[in-house]
Amino acid sequence: MDKRLILAVAGSGKTTHILNQLDEDKRHLIVTYTRENIRNLKSGIEKKFNCFPENIKLYSFFEFLYSFCYKPFLGKIDKPNGLYWDFPPKFTRNMPEHVPLHFFTKDRRIYHNRLSKYLIRKELLDRINTRIEKYFDHFHIDEVQDFGGYDFDLLMHFSMLNLRVNWVGDFFQHTYDTSRDANKNKSLHSSLDRYLNRFSSVGIIIDQDSLLKSRRCPKAVTDFITEHLGIVIETHKYEPANVQFIDDPARVEEIALDNTIIKLFYQNHNKYHCYSGNWGKVKGADHFQDVCVVLNGTSLNLFKKGKLQESASLTKNKLYVACSRANGNLYLIPENLMEKYKI
């Protein structure tokens, strides 16, 4: 059965690609991570079929782990009181795994980032694969770049499934991990080659061509991303657009007060009185026309030196997400010029 990782640049039509694979004859399982992608996929499925077909199941990742993988096998034996969404306290890191508090809070909620680890320790992966094969013919795993820790090991086990599996994502949109626990898979995202090798080593086909070009970002924006961030991205879109650095206070004020232009901050966007968001948190959003990226002090200095691609990898990925939201013009402004709009 075909197993492949499809690398999709920002705006290349990842959601559309998944939707195109769906039909009413086969049984499809879709697992994604972000709430935005749940909304996008649900809306796209309903639009395509004029309903949500019974042969298609759409899960958020932790919903899938808890309701599909955990409860059928351990629900009666190790019945938890739900998921615990904060990370475990530090004292649990070196706690022996046979001690319940390594995996559960005192009120029997299981730590979300140790759920995959628990399933692995209970030797349930083969049984989970059998259950997936029983109910589905095609497995689509979205936002794969954000799976980390033991969650990534679980995904690799799906390479053994006797059905079609597609992993879809953009390595450079890795802005957070589904799971962090000690040093497990800590260096997974340290380089693209290392990352791809983890897939190819278990027989997964690497597809870097199908979703190579953005359909969202105009050429001016993709050229900026390629030149300044060192992330190669091509485009199908050659409509006129501009990328401008603006430090004129009057022009900055115009943009700040323009509620058709979202202002994207590195963090703490809610401290500003304007239409805004954070760089990494807008991943999956594709409805913005013109976008204003607010450069903090560190990024501003690197930009002026032509060294933005030397940003810390997580920062660079978040900046890539922010810049690639633009369907039209992209504006860059210094954060210090937004001080007057702080709440």
Side-chain angles (χ1 to χ4, degrees):
M1 291 289 184
D2 187 72
K3 314 281 195 310
R4 65 181 58 227
L5 167 66
I6 302 169
L7 294 179
V9 302
S12 59
K14 177 171 58 65
T15 299
T16 300
H17 176 82
I18 293 174
L19 293 173
N20 287 342
Q21 306 299 307
L22 305 180
D23 56 39
E24 294 181 281
D25 299 321
K26 300 291 186 180
R27 300 167 301 168
H28 296 268
L29 169 62
I30 309 170
V31 173
T32 190
Y33 182 34
T34 64
R35 295 189 189 95
E36 186 72 30
N37 270 30
I38 285 284
R39 287 192 289 268
N40 289 342
L41 284 163
K42 184 175 184 293
S43 174
I45 291 168
E46 291 173 341
K47 183 176 180 180
K48 177 174 180 174
F49 297 103
N50 294 316
C51 65
F52 200 103
E54 292 185 2
N55 65 305
I56 299 172
K57 301 300 179 186
L58 173 63
Y59 289 95
S60 65
F61 178 63
F62 290 108
E63 178 191 10
F64 169 70
L65 286 186
Y66 186 67
S67 64
F68 189 91
C69 302
Y70 182 101
K71 292 180 73 174
F73 300 114
L74 296 172
K76 294 181 180 179
I77 302 170
D78 269 341
K79 185 177 181 180
N81 292 321
L83 288 169
Y84 186 76
W85 292 105
D86 287 336
F87 288 103
K90 291 182 179 179
F91 74 83
T92 68
R93 291 179 183 174
N94 298 319
M95 185 175 286
E97 293 176 10
H98 68 269
V99 177
L101 285 178
H102 182 83
F103 291 101
F104 298 90
T105 63
K106 291 181 179 179
D107 61 353
R108 292 295 297 176
R109 286 182 290 168
I110 189 166
Y111 294 115
H112 74 285
N113 71 315
R114 288 186 176 159
L115 185 47
S116 287
K117 182 178 182 180
Y118 196 62
L119 296 172
I120 291 169
R121 292 293 181 263
K122 289 290 185 177
E123 299 182 346
L124 287 173
L125 299 194
D126 289 340
R127 295 175 68 186
I128 290 170
N129 276 9
T130 299
R131 178 170 164 77
I132 293 172
E133 291 170 352
K134 178 180 178 180
Y135 291 106
F136 300 102
D137 304 301
H138 199 162
F139 191 2
H140 313 266
I141 304 168
D142 191 19
E143 298 291 346
V144 67
Q145 76 280 345
D146 286 330
F147 291 86
Y150 287 92
D151 296 333
F152 186 82
D153 284 4
L154 180 67
L155 291 193
M156 290 298 93
H157 197 75
F158 295 147
S159 66
M160 301 173 64
L161 283 163
N162 187 30
L163 47 79
R164 291 184 62 192
V165 186
N166 283 341
W167 294 259
V168 187
D170 182 351
F171 176 79
F172 295 105
Q173 288 195 65
H174 169 243
T175 56
Y176 39 70
D177 293 321
T178 54
S179 171
R180 298 188 191 99
D181 201 1
N183 292 320
K184 184 63 178 175
N185 283 320
K186 185 177 181 179
S187 62
L188 176 65
H189 296 93
S190 61
S191 77
L192 178 59
D193 288 342
R194 180 194 294 267
Y195 185 74
L196 297 182
N197 185 61
R198 290 292 299 272
F199 286 87
S200 60
S201 67
V202 293
I204 297 169
I205 299 166
I206 308 298
D207 180 349
Q208 300 188 64
D209 300 319
S210 295
L211 297 176
L212 177 66
K213 296 184 178 183
S214 180
R215 298 181 182 277
R216 177 196 307 139
C217 303
K219 189 174 186 300
V221 174
T222 58
D223 284 351
F224 174 84
I225 292 170
T226 300
E227 178 183 352
H228 289 270
L229 298 182
I231 297 172
V232 178
I233 176 172
E234 300 178 23
T235 187
H236 290 286
K237 192 172 180 178
Y238 289 85
E239 298 173 7
N242 295 309
V243 177
Q244 293 180 300
F245 174 72
I246 298 172
D247 58 0
D248 173 57
R251 181 70 179 118
V252 169
E253 182 170 13
E254 288 180 19
I255 293 173
L257 298 177
D258 188 338
N259 286 333
T260 67
I261 302 174
I262 189 165
K263 275 63 68 175
L264 297 178
F265 294 81
Y266 174 71
Q267 61 185 2
N268 298 324
H269 78 94
N270 53 351
K271 293 184 177 181
Y272 294 84
H273 188 67
C274 60
Y275 175 39
S276 65
N278 288 337
W279 290 358
K281 294 293 185 180
V282 290
K283 182 163 54 177
D286 62 1
H287 57 280
F288 307 121
Q289 185 61 27
D290 295 346
V291 168
C292 173
V293 172
V294 182
L295 297 175
N296 61 16
T298 302
S299 297
L300 178 63
N301 288 335
L302 289 172
F303 171 71
K304 288 182 175 180
K305 295 175 182 177
K307 295 182 177 181
L308 263 183
Q309 62 182 288
E310 296 180 12
S311 304
S313 59
L314 191 59
T315 299
K316 183 169 70 172
N317 291 354
K318 289 180 179 180
L319 184 53
Y320 165 51
V321 169
C323 293
S324 62
R325 296 312 96 189
N327 280 272
N329 299 317
L330 174 63
Y331 305 113
L332 306 160
I333 64 173
E335 187 176 60
N336 66 299
L337 294 182
M338 292 295 292
E339 285 291 319
K340 65 184 291 186
Y341 303 102
K342 271 193 171 180
I343 297 173

